[in-house]
Amino acid sequence: MLPKFSHVRPSSLRQAVQQLASSGSHVHAGGTDLLGCLRDGVFGAEKIVSITGIGELRGINSREDGAVRIGALTTLSEVATSPLIAQNYALLAQAAAAAASPQLRNQGTIGGNLCQRPRCWYFRGDFQCLRKGGDTCFAINGENEFHCVFGGSRCYIVHPSDTAPALVALDARAHIRGPLGMRVVPLGSFFVLPALDLARENVLRSGEIITHISLPPLAPGSISSYRKVRARGSWDFALAGLALALKLTGRRVDWSRVVLSGVAPIPWRSSETEKVLLGRDLNPRTLREAADAATRGAEPLSQNGYKVELVRGIVEESLRAIMESHPETPSERT
Amino acid sequence: MKQTEISSERNSSTDAQNLEPWTNPTVVGKPLPRVDGYERVSGSAIYPADLILPDMLHAAILRCPHPHAIVKNLNTEAARKSPGVRAIVSSADPEGKLVIPYPWWVPEGPPVLLFDQHCRYQGEEVAALAADTPYQAYDALRLMKVEYEELSHLLHAQDALKPGQPLLHNTGNLVRRPDTYQRGDLAKGFGEADVLVEETYETSCEIHATVETHVAVARWEGEQLTVWVPTQAIYEEQKSLAATLRLPVSSVRVISQYVGGSFGCKAELSKHTLIAALLARKTRRPVKLALSREESFLCAGNRPPNVMCLKAGAKKDGSLTALEFTNLGAVGAYADWADAAGWAAGSYACPNIRTQDTEVYINAGKARAFRGPGAAQSAWALEQMIDMLADKIGMDPVEFRLKNVPATHPRTGEPYTSIELRECLLKGAEAFGWTKARVARASSSDPVKRGVGVASCRWITEGGPPTTVIVTLFPDGSATLNMAAADQGTGTKTIMAMVVAEELGIPLQKIHVEHADTGTTQYGKSGGGSHSVMVYAPAVRAAAADVKRQLLEIAAGELKRPAIELSLKDGKIVPVREPGQPKNLSELKDLTRREQIAGIGHPPPEPKGRLIASFGAQFAEVEVNVHTGEIRVIRLLACHDSGRVMNPLTHESQIFGGMVMGIGFALTEQRVLDDHQTGRMVNANWHDYKIPTAKDVPFDQLCLTIDPKDAECNSAGAKGVGEIGTVPTAPAIANAVYHATGIRVTQAPISPMQMLALLAARREAR
Amino acid sequence: MNEDHDLKRTDDPCSRVSRRGFLESVGVGMTGIAVASNLSAQDAEELTEDAEPKKLSLVINGRKHMLIVEPRTNLLYVLREKLGMTGTKPGCERGECGACTVLIDDKSRYSCLTLAFEADGHDVTTIEGLVHGEKLGVVQQAFLEKDAFQCGYCTPGQIMAAEGLLRSNHDPSDEEIREGMSGNLCRCGAYQHIFKAVRRAAELKKEEGSA
């Protein structure tokens, strides 16, 4: 049973921002993560500011410059089934479809998916952990099967979002409205590591709301995919996932983005893997080296060493699938 | 629940009729939709959680957050003043010292106090309150202040008997003297073996996780208590409630018409039911107490975790020579069963066996009976062990099992009334395309490996008295069936109505089932041990036959013919010699004058010197991605001998459901305790405790049956089906994973995490 | 546990940064940044702000209901406890089982994770809304025929999920059925029969449409 709070549903962005100015207020978009957190006492709320009545925050449309705008309140279902997204950013459609369950995708929004709180069972459970203001990260000596192998320090959460790594791979930007106005942050710099700030997972500040996401056009002929591995067939967060975007000539990689989910407190871009791939042909050796690069620097905890294997596995598998579906680069034969 | 070799008292029933099983039934055996299907699909079925009584209060329970602690101080003042709060009960009240009796199948154990200041598991009840609304109840709960002294905790069975460990009870951490069984000469058996294998298997603690949580609604009328509670066992709960509250049994009425899943966890008196009754008495208002999902994970039962060490030997011809099976199980904080080894003694014909079951307490929620209790864990170990032996002598696993099918019960030597295990294996293997599937392997370069596996199973069931059923026939040709049986989704209501329809020749739509209410039905055995059909079908049939006998006597008098020259067909009296002149029941004046005929039935005693058991074999096909550890079950086939299939539709539902539960047991389900720190459960919710979804089950599920035409087991010719369907699934999957990868996964569940770790370990070893 | 560790601290250093400085420090080169508007109290409409019960009107199964409920109340609670429509079942109250599935504007949603006030202005359909008089809806009929349940407790939620699926996809493939039904747990494990029932319901809907 939820504790008490007040609920306002402003009809304009301006009102919403104003409502959020008071302390103890929280944004309600789809509400799926917020109500879960309130029920579990992860944090409290005096006031829920629902932005669901703000029409301008919905919808997917293409802009003249070739970019695509996705309103923050667009549901994951809408993202997953939008022909515009499917045609241009297959990766994002796949990631949205892989999230949660059909009902949650009908309710959960793209903005909310980026801002959801970690699923660490100590954070969500009745444990006064470091991220909640306590003095211990229970994962370090505890049940850390699902925790991070990259980017952890003091706190070892993983970022739960599937769409976040996809958006990072697509060089998307978050458009943010707050009490001081509007700002734009590339998704690649939107998320915050525990080393920088223990209490938040992203750069959003008091009273700020994501209004929409913009996606630059991908170079023609680019391919992208999202591969998610989970312990259960659906309704489960990633043990690890791979958001991959590539531009190929034959099998030669001209450009790539490699972003992992489920392995770090933020969507984990592997620049090293991108470096290995750049200018090289996809062949068994490149695949192996790319997989090695993707796991370099991993620091597993006592129970999550499998994630290193898993990252290796999905990088190799995804690249192999692309390799096999593309003709050999002509120059390779010389 | 120890059900292998129990022999409950068998009352002889004087008026039990020795009816032969039907030879050509017209209703029984048909795939008919459920008689209560409309209620269940329309949303109009009223489960206890749905009950809204006038002036009803809502209760909530304050629970200990620690696995082991002493309540030093409890302050309920702020809660008492919170809006809407009407009553509080805690250890400060005399009621707090009430002792909850153990159910009949747990013969003894340390006393279970309603509110024990020594809390032995996370979630142990500390206090409870009732308020006008559920929101108010939870608001008030947050205001209760408790000071705990945390004690060191014990989480693993392996540690329980070591010195220096916390003691849960004055009597120590051993639940009961280890149960040992032995036959033949183990050393001799191992000596005779051509191959020996030794392995340790572990199963995880599995939670029942019924979609309906435990709920109780209690109402007092004077000194008469009525409780609506979803349960398999209305009379068990009635008896326990009466004993606890020192009330005459007749003053307690338990009603359980719809049960939202049980699988064994709703079959004994729970503290929350007693709490609802106490709060209702204190306030003189009806009280509803519905557990939250988290509470149901912590303290509403589980399948206990087992550590099982096996050693087995076989000859090259496939005959088992010796088996040693030692099990250590953790029942949780109070007495229950965590046995597994004893089951194995009755599975295969093996001359030399030693089994030992040791059960200990740990600081975690108590186990409860869980679908195939003990048998499912035992099969996880034994059925993998059988495959290891077959592998070692290079014999097909199906063939190996066929070699060791017992002719009689290997432990007692008693013959079965029927046993079609051999046929189950053969027919199942053929339909599955076993031989072909066994050889076809994916190419070595493909990271997705395919494999098939098999496992077999056995489940002993007892029917018989005491149970009383009443069938009432009205002159308009409609009937009421009155019986104690609950229907937790097994289809009992439907099947019993079909028995009445079969016997009286009246359509199913004209039969009303009045059931699961101690106030209106007669004593009947609780649903459990897969015996509902075996207990109730013969009883219902006897009651219907009693009605028929009386009816034909009336007709004989009116038609001036001997009763044996009359028959009952399609709800009409038909003279055998003049079948063209049937008589409607409404035309029988004597019947109309009597208004109704009531027939009483009891199940006849079980056949003497015979055992009744169901058997089966299941086949699984899996794909394992060795790059990611992902395991997909792509095909499951079951071939079962459960005697006569009363209703193929509900029978298939039972088997498929058991298999799906087996998928969870094999691949995803696991209670996770914060091992080295707080000892609390970290996954007491459905996201982190993963039961199978629609995407975890294969489209390709098939259920075949073999009817042994068992005329001895009972007058329905039916044996149990409720539990056996889940027993072999997990080991069949594990065997398939081995076939696919060459890796023997001994610890359930076979998660991608574990699979990847094992694959990596193998790579390193090479 | 209940301390608020979110970011609404008044001493947030960024709130002291001037708007211009703020934009310069974190705004990253992107054209088309909207100009911030000045916010003032008089621009905002009056919005009630307390946790006490408030008036709410909801349209459920085509009927309008006037209610007074606390803002924290979820739709599930309103349906069951305020309106006595107990066909919608509680299973977890945390969006992890699907027993409480209803349709909101024809889309399946968990009523436990939907605040009652969030359903204002939308059409809510519950299991009771699929029955016409005494006659079962086609999805209900198909579930009954195929024995697509055992205990029946998750069944209303399963049926609503199937109804939602079929309203957006008249002819789902096997894989689409499985995906569409993957937000509803069934502990009795009736999935196989559920798949059959959804296929059957799709047929029945087609027949109904062409009749």
Side-chain angles (χ1 to χ4, degrees):
Chain A
M1 290 279 147
L2 288 169
K4 283 190 178 197
F5 50 73
S6 67
H7 175 266
V8 292
R9 207 175 172 196
S11 53
S12 76
L13 201 50
R14 184 196 299 181
Q15 288 171 353
V17 169
Q18 194 174 44
Q19 286 290 338
L20 281 167
S22 58
S23 74
S25 56
H26 285 262
V27 182
H28 177 296
T32 57
D33 191 53
L34 174 69
L35 298 188
C37 285
L38 294 176
R39 183 176 190 281
D40 287 346
V42 175
F43 53 79
E46 280 163 41
K47 179 167 68 175
I48 299 298
V49 180
S50 169
I51 56 173
T52 53
I54 307 173
E56 62 190 280
L57 299 182
R58 291 179 191 281
I60 302 171
N61 32 57
S62 56
R63 296 189 325 200
E64 279 173 16
D65 59 0
V68 168
R69 175 195 183 280
I70 306 176
L73 279 185
T74 310
T75 63
L76 293 178
S77 294
E78 287 160 353
V79 174
T81 56
S82 154
L84 191 61
I85 300 296
Q87 279 157 25
N88 297 292
Y89 313 99
L91 158 65
L92 178 60
Q94 289 166 15
S101 74
Q103 286 92 326
L104 289 171
R105 293 195 293 272
N106 283 340
Q107 181 169 356
T109 65
I110 186 85
N113 195 255
L114 297 177
C115 300
Q116 63 184 310
R117 304 305 308 272
R119 299 300 308 198
C120 165
W121 46 31
Y122 294 108
F123 178 68
R124 295 270 167 168
D126 189 11
F127 299 88
Q128 193 51 28
C129 80
L130 202 57
R131 187 163 289 268
K132 287 191 294 195
D135 49 18
T136 314
C137 169
F138 290 86
I140 296 170
N141 297 312
E143 301 304 314
N144 51 36
E145 201 169 23
F146 299 112
H147 289 79
C148 69
V149 293
F150 294 109
S153 58
R154 298 194 290 159
C155 163
Y156 292 84
I157 57 160
V158 295
H159 200 279
S161 174
D162 290 307
T163 60
L167 290 169
V168 171
L170 294 171
D171 290 337
R173 290 150 197 243
H175 297 249
I176 298 163
R177 174 77 178 268
L180 299 172
M182 198 83 192
R183 61 176 176 135
V184 180
V185 179
L187 260 291
S189 14
F190 179 75
F191 299 98
V192 172
L193 281 170
L196 211 66
D197 193 335
L198 266 178
R200 66 179 86 186
E201 293 83 44
N202 55 56
V203 300
L204 281 188
R205 298 181 189 284
S206 182
E208 286 189 323
I209 303 172
I210 297 181
T211 59
H212 62 280
I213 307 292
S214 62
L215 290 159
L218 266 184
S222 300
I223 41 175
S224 72
S225 64
Y226 184 66
R227 168 74 160 106
K228 177 176 179 176
V229 175
R230 44 190 155 189
R232 184 166 75 170
S234 81
W235 218 342
D236 207 355
F237 292 87
L239 298 173
L242 173 65
L244 189 62
L246 290 173
K247 175 89 179 78
L248 295 176
T249 306
R251 285 183 176 175
R252 195 185 61 231
V253 178
D254 298 329
W255 169 90
S256 76
R257 282 282 183 276
V258 178
V259 186
L260 297 164
S261 60
V263 295
I266 61 172
W268 193 252
R269 181 167 165 193
S270 178
S271 308
E272 292 213 33
T273 313
E274 293 170 9
K275 253 180 248 160
V276 167
L277 292 172
L278 186 64
R280 295 194 38 201
D281 265 78
L282 291 180
N283 56 40
R285 196 177 141 195
T286 315
L287 263 50
R288 224 173 17 251
E289 286 179 26
D292 283 344
T295 59
R296 206 163 294 144
E299 292 180 321
L301 301 164
S302 57
Q303 298 173 351
N304 65 2
Y306 74 91
K307 285 199 178 186
V308 181
E309 296 300 318
L310 184 50
V311 166
R312 194 186 302 280
I314 51 178
V315 169
E316 207 172 321
E317 181 194 278
S318 297
L319 288 173
R320 186 181 301 277
I322 291 167
M323 177 181 84
E324 284 168 359
S325 61
H326 284 74
E328 286 182 23
T329 319
S331 59
E332 201 180 28
R333 297 205 186 98
T334 59
Chain B
M1 197 184 316
K2 196 127 195 165
Q3 282 165 329
T4 358
E5 320 300 342
I6 42 161
S7 84
S8 69
E9 58 172 308
R10 289 171 180 176
N11 295 357
S12 66
S13 177
T14 46
D15 58 345
Q17 301 178 35
N18 280 323
L19 299 159
E20 288 293 310
W22 306 280
T23 44
N24 284 307
T26 55
V27 183
V28 166
K30 298 286 177 294
L32 299 175
R34 293 176 196 242
V35 293
D36 54 359
Y38 182 96
E39 286 75 15
R40 293 189 200 251
V41 302
S42 63
S44 58
I46 297 173
Y47 295 77
D50 300 330
L51 209 58
I52 300 170
L53 297 177
D55 220 17
M56 187 171 77
L57 299 174
H58 298 265
I61 298 174
L62 180 73
R63 295 179 182 276
C64 177
H66 309 293
H68 201 190
I70 305 278
V71 177
K72 300 302 277 186
N73 185 32
L74 168 67
N75 185 338
T76 58
E77 273 322 294
R80 205 175 290 277
K81 288 179 196 147
S82 186
V85 172
R86 304 292 168 184
I88 293 179
V89 281
S90 72
S91 55
D93 298 289
E95 293 97 328
K97 305 282 183 295
L98 288 177
V99 176
I100 319 279
Y102 283 97
W104 64 264
W105 56 87
V106 182
E108 56 183 350
V112 182
L113 268 59
L114 180 55
F115 298 115
D116 197 328
Q117 283 173 292
H118 181 177
C119 297
R120 295 173 174 87
Y121 58 95
Q122 180 193 7
E124 181 144 2
E125 293 77 355
V126 172
L129 56 81
D132 291 345
T133 74
Y135 282 105
Q136 289 174 331
Y138 278 88
D139 285 346
L141 217 54
R142 293 185 188 104
L143 298 174
M144 288 208 184
K145 298 272 179 287
V146 195
E147 193 186 312
Y148 294 101
E149 178 192 338
E150 285 186 61
L151 305 175
S152 58
H153 52 257
L154 167 66
L155 299 183
H156 296 288
Q158 296 94 315
D159 300 330
L161 302 176
K162 288 180 187 161
Q165 290 293 325
L167 289 183
L168 267 79
H169 300 284
N170 296 337
T171 49
N173 289 341
L174 194 62
V175 179
R176 55 182 70 87
R177 220 179 53 202
D179 178 44
T180 308
Y181 163 80
Q182 189 151 5
R183 70 168 176 260
D185 180 339
L186 204 59
K188 182 169 154 277
F190 285 130
E192 286 166 3
D194 294 319
V195 293
L196 286 177
V197 286
E198 258 187 286
E199 190 57 82
T200 299
Y201 299 87
E202 287 184 50
T203 54
S204 283
C205 179
E206 183 187 10
I207 310 289
H208 299 75
T210 56
V211 179
E212 171 201 52
T213 62
H214 287 64
V215 185
V217 177
R219 182 181 62 172
W220 291 84
E221 291 156 286
E223 283 306 295
Q224 177 78 32
L225 170 66
T226 303
V227 170
W228 288 263
V229 55
T231 179
Q232 296 172 244
I234 51 170
Y235 281 97
E236 179 70 32
E237 302 230 14
Q238 181 198 38
K239 195 168 64 180
S240 297
L241 267 173
T244 314
L245 294 169
R246 294 175 202 281
L247 290 169
V249 173
S250 61
S251 293
V252 178
R253 180 177 177 190
V254 177
I255 306 174
S256 179
Q257 279 148 1
Y258 286 96
V259 184
S262 175
F263 316 110
C265 73
K266 295 170 183 165
E268 59 195 81
L269 176 61
S270 300
K271 283 186 186 176
H272 71 269
T273 307
L274 182 60
I275 289 170
L278 291 173
L279 288 168
R281 192 165 67 184
K282 276 195 164 203
T283 56
R284 307 312 296 185
R285 289 169 68 173
V287 169
K288 183 193 278 184
L289 207 177
L291 299 197
S292 68
R293 179 51 51 196
E294 295 85 342
E295 289 177 286
S296 80
F297 271 106
L298 291 170
C299 34
N302 55 66
R303 185 192 297 285
N306 293 85
V307 183
M308 298 167 281
C309 303
L310 278 74
K311 183 179 175 186
K315 288 188 181 161
K316 277 187 184 142
D317 69 355
S319 46
L320 277 165
T321 61
L323 171 68
E324 189 177 15
F325 191 142
T326 312
N327 162 55
L328 179 65
V331 298
Y334 287 92
D336 210 280
W337 294 97
D339 57 309
W343 287 92
S347 294
Y348 291 103
C350 176
N352 309 297
I353 279 195
R354 184 176 183 273
T355 67
Q356 186 173 60
D357 281 296
T358 306
E359 291 140 306
V360 295
Y361 296 112
I362 58 168
N363 289 114
K366 183 182 86 69
R368 285 185 182 180
F370 193 163
R371 203 177 204 173
Q377 300 98 300
S378 184
W380 172 258
L382 183 65
E383 291 296 314
Q384 290 206 63
M385 203 66 176
I386 294 291
D387 262 41
M388 285 178 77
L389 285 169
D391 195 47
K392 210 153 182 185
I393 60 165
M395 185 180 268
D396 180 273
V398 172
E399 198 187 332
F400 190 98
R401 284 173 173 81
L402 287 169
K403 278 259 176 197
N404 294 285
V405 168
T408 57
H409 186 254
R411 192 160 167 173
T412 65
E414 285 175 286
Y416 294 107
T417 57
S418 59
I419 169 169
E420 299 290 339
L421 179 54
R422 182 176 295 279
E423 282 306 306
C424 288
L425 282 158
L426 289 169
K427 184 176 172 181
E430 199 194 337
F432 190 77
W434 171 259
T435 317
K436 218 173 135 196
R438 211 46 206 176
V439 247
R441 301 288 286 266
S443 75
S444 58
S445 65
D446 191 341
V448 179
K449 312 291 180 199
R450 202 193 51 80
V452 292
V454 63
S456 64
C457 56
R458 170 197 60 123
W459 183 262
I460 294 187
T461 325
E462 293 201 339
T467 285
T468 300
V469 157
I470 300 173
V471 171
T472 315
L473 181 71
F474 297 94
D476 68 349
S478 66
T480 298
L481 164 60
N482 177 292
M483 61 172 182
D487 187 338
Q488 61 267 27
T490 50
T492 306
K493 274 168 85 176
T494 304
I495 287 162
M496 298 313 146
M498 287 166 73
V499 171
V500 175
E502 183 71 48
E503 211 56 34
L504 297 184
I506 55 178
L508 218 46
Q509 295 75 11
K510 286 195 169 181
I511 300 164
H512 169 71
V513 184
E514 184 67 49
H515 78 127
D517 179 345
T518 64
T520 61
T521 61
Q522 313 312 306
Y523 179 84
K525 279 192 185 174
S526 33
S530 301
H531 66 198
S532 288
V533 167
M534 295 180 53
V535 171
Y536 284 92
V540 172
R541 196 173 171 208
D546 190 20
V547 168
K548 191 166 154 181
R549 181 186 53 78
Q550 296 177 53
L551 181 65
L552 292 182
E553 271 172 21
I554 290 171
E558 286 199 27
L559 302 174
K560 311 246 182 308
R561 285 171 199 273
I564 50 162
E565 285 182 19
L566 297 173
S567 71
L568 182 60
K569 261 195 193 142
D570 301 329
K572 289 172 184 166
I573 304 292
V574 183
V576 178
R577 289 185 191 159
E578 296 142 44
Q581 293 178 13
K583 214 163 171 70
N584 288 326
L585 300 190
S586 54
E587 294 172 60
L588 298 174
K589 289 197 184 72
D590 202 22
L591 176 61
T592 316
R593 212 165 15 241
R594 281 170 63 168
E595 297 290 357
Q596 64 169 33
I597 301 173
I600 297 175
H602 309 287
E606 298 279 83
K608 284 209 166 57
R610 290 273 192 280
L611 281 174
I612 304 170
S614 300
F615 300 90
Q618 289 187 7
F619 299 80
E621 180 163 2
V622 303
E623 282 180 355
V624 183
N625 184 331
V626 296
H627 281 178
T628 61
E630 291 162 295
I631 299 155
R632 277 183 60 213
V633 180
I634 55 174
R635 195 151 69 102
L636 283 176
L637 181 143
C639 188
H640 281 256
D641 156 19
S642 316
R644 180 197 301 279
V645 173
M646 302 294 285
N647 179 335
L649 208 50
T650 56
H651 178 273
E652 193 176 79
S653 287
Q654 283 278 39
I655 297 293
F656 283 172
M659 295 199 307
V660 171
M661 208 167 240
I663 293 174
F665 188 49
L667 301 180
T668 54
E669 295 185 39
Q670 180 174 29
R671 175 178 73 186
V672 183
L673 302 176
D674 184 27
D675 208 346
H676 307 294
Q677 302 174 116
T678 61
R680 296 183 195 168
M681 184 175 178
V682 292
N683 62 340
N685 63 67
W686 259 327
H687 168 258
D688 296 314
Y689 183 92
K690 300 171 201 303
I691 74 171
T693 69
K695 291 186 83 174
D696 298 280
V697 303
F699 282 119
D700 195 349
Q701 256 181 296
L702 197 63
C703 171
L704 305 173
T705 57
I706 291 172
D707 182 355
K709 310 272 184 221
D710 191 333
E712 263 188 288
C713 61
N714 53 58
S715 67
K719 305 190 283 187
V721 70
E723 289 162 278
I724 194 168
T726 203
V727 172
T729 317
I733 290 170
N735 286 335
V737 168
Y738 175 77
H739 183 232
T741 62
I743 291 178
R744 175 65 57 195
V745 188
T746 56
Q747 192 173 344
I750 316 174
S751 63
M753 298 79 89
Q754 190 188 177
M755 200 69 233
L756 276 170
L758 292 172
L759 285 161
R762 179 172 69 179
R763 221 173 12 250
E764 271 161 36
R766 281 173 181 172
Chain C
M1 262 320 285
N2 282 325
E3 295 108 296
D4 182 356
H5 287 287
D6 203 45
L7 313 168
K8 312 295 176 265
R9 304 188 212 101
T10 47
D11 62 344
D12 188 331
C14 295
S15 63
R16 290 197 294 268
V17 178
S18 73
R19 193 174 92 223
R20 187 179 160 75
F22 180 63
L23 283 169
E24 280 172 357
S25 63
V26 281
V28 185
M30 170 81 182
T31 52
I33 298 174
V35 177
S37 54
N38 282 316
L39 291 168
S40 61
Q42 54 262 50
D43 284 344
E45 282 169 28
E46 197 70 24
L47 289 162
T48 357
E49 270 186 57
D50 62 59
E52 295 310 306
K54 288 195 286 190
K55 272 192 213 163
L56 167 68
S57 79
L58 288 179
V59 178
I60 297 159
N61 301 328
R63 283 184 61 180
K64 193 168 179 173
H65 298 265
M66 303 299 292
L67 299 145
I68 297 176
V69 297
E70 287 182 316
R72 61 169 158 173
T73 315
N74 63 21
L75 179 58
L76 174 65
Y77 185 87
V78 165
L79 291 172
R80 292 175 56 83
E81 305 291 333
K82 293 277 176 183
L83 301 173
M85 297 167 73
T86 56
T88 307
K89 303 296 182 202
C92 65
E93 301 243 17
R94 45 190 302 131
E96 292 171 356
C97 77
C100 69
T101 300
V102 298
L103 300 187
I104 296 181
D105 298 338
D106 291 336
K107 296 212 164 54
S108 61
R109 293 258 302 251
Y110 300 137
S111 60
C112 72
L113 281 189
T114 303
L115 292 177
F117 279 91
E118 290 293 324
D120 188 1
H122 300 278
D123 282 332
V124 178
T125 309
T126 70
I127 187 78
E128 290 88 353
L130 300 189
V131 188
H132 310 288
E134 278 187 313
K135 198 169 169 254
L136 295 174
V138 292
V139 181
Q140 293 167 314
Q141 187 58 40
F143 268 65
L144 178 57
E145 273 176 32
K146 299 293 176 192
D147 206 44
F149 56 90
Q150 285 201 274
C151 80
Y153 192 84
C154 74
T155 309
Q158 301 277 359
I159 288 171
M160 295 316 291
E163 181 73 30
L165 170 68
L166 295 175
R167 284 190 188 185
S168 67
N169 182 349
H170 300 298
D171 191 17
S173 67
D174 282 354
E175 230 9 276
E176 285 167 340
I177 290 174
R178 178 139 76 168
E179 179 63 48
M181 299 308 293
S182 70
N184 295 72
L185 297 179
C186 171
R187 189 50 158 168
C188 298
Y191 298 118
Q192 191 62 224
H193 285 184
I194 290 172
F195 300 152
K196 282 187 189 168
V198 179
R199 277 179 218 128
R200 174 73 183 137
E203 284 170 20
L204 287 173
K205 278 204 179 228
K206 241 180 265 171
E207 284 169 22
E208 208 176 50
S210 60

